């Protein structure tokens, strides 16, 4: 089983579970990306003193991208419409969540570069 088969199986909900599993996975990864980006921004602002802001920002961007890709794959492979129980609404909600993680991660990365240059 190669990597594309694994991603496709995750987007479809895998072998076990209902149709919402892929959407829930995409939502979870996107939410994790937003949380990591928020922590990276807090690190740059000096509210917390542990961790590396640049690493957190890049991790948030990767998690946001992964969540968005999983959500789009789930939308492309699921059948039926909203309200049928196959996770379309969750996948639709996961796309802006993943994009928010990417944008917040990019903002943290930009701010961390500015603090390195001026600090």
């Amino acid at each position: 089983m190669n990597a594309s088969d694994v991603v496709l199986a995750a987007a479809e909900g895998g072998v076990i579970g209902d149709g919402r599993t892929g959407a829930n996975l995409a939502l979870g990864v996107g939410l994790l990306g937003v949380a990591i980006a928020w922590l990276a921004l807090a690190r740059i602002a000096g509210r917390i003193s542990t961790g590396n802001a640049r690493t957190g920002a890049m991790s948030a961007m990767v998690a946001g991208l992964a969540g968005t890709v999983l959500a789009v794959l789930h939308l492309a492979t699921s059948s039926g419409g909203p309200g049928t129980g196959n996770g379309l609404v969750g996948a639709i909600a996961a796309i802006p969540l993943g994009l928010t993680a990417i944008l917040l991660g990019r903002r943290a990365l930009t701010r961390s570069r500015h603090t390195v240059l001026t600090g």
Side-chain angles (χ1 to χ4, degrees):
M1 182 176 263
N2 59 16
S4 62
D5 292 337
V6 171
V7 170
L8 190 59
E12 291 175 350
V15 177
I16 57 173
D18 56 0
R20 290 181 227 113
T21 307
N24 288 338
L25 179 65
L27 279 168
V29 172
L31 187 61
L32 180 67
V34 170
I36 293 170
W38 179 76
L39 287 172
L41 284 170
R43 169 67 181 115
I44 293 167
R47 291 187 295 245
I48 58 174
S49 62
T50 60
N52 186 350
R54 288 181 52 90
T55 304
M58 288 187 272
S59 299
M61 291 171 61
V62 168
L65 180 64
T68 303
V69 167
L70 284 172
V72 169
L73 281 173
H74 185 75
L75 280 174
T77 58
S78 61
S79 60
T84 58
N86 55 7
L88 281 178
V89 177
I92 291 170
I95 292 173
L97 194 62
L99 293 176
T100 301
I102 293 171
L103 292 175
L104 286 176
R106 177 69 182 154
R107 185 174 183 178
L109 188 62
T110 303
R111 285 186 177 189
S112 71
R113 286 182 182 156
H114 288 291
T115 58
V116 169
L117 293 176
T118 60

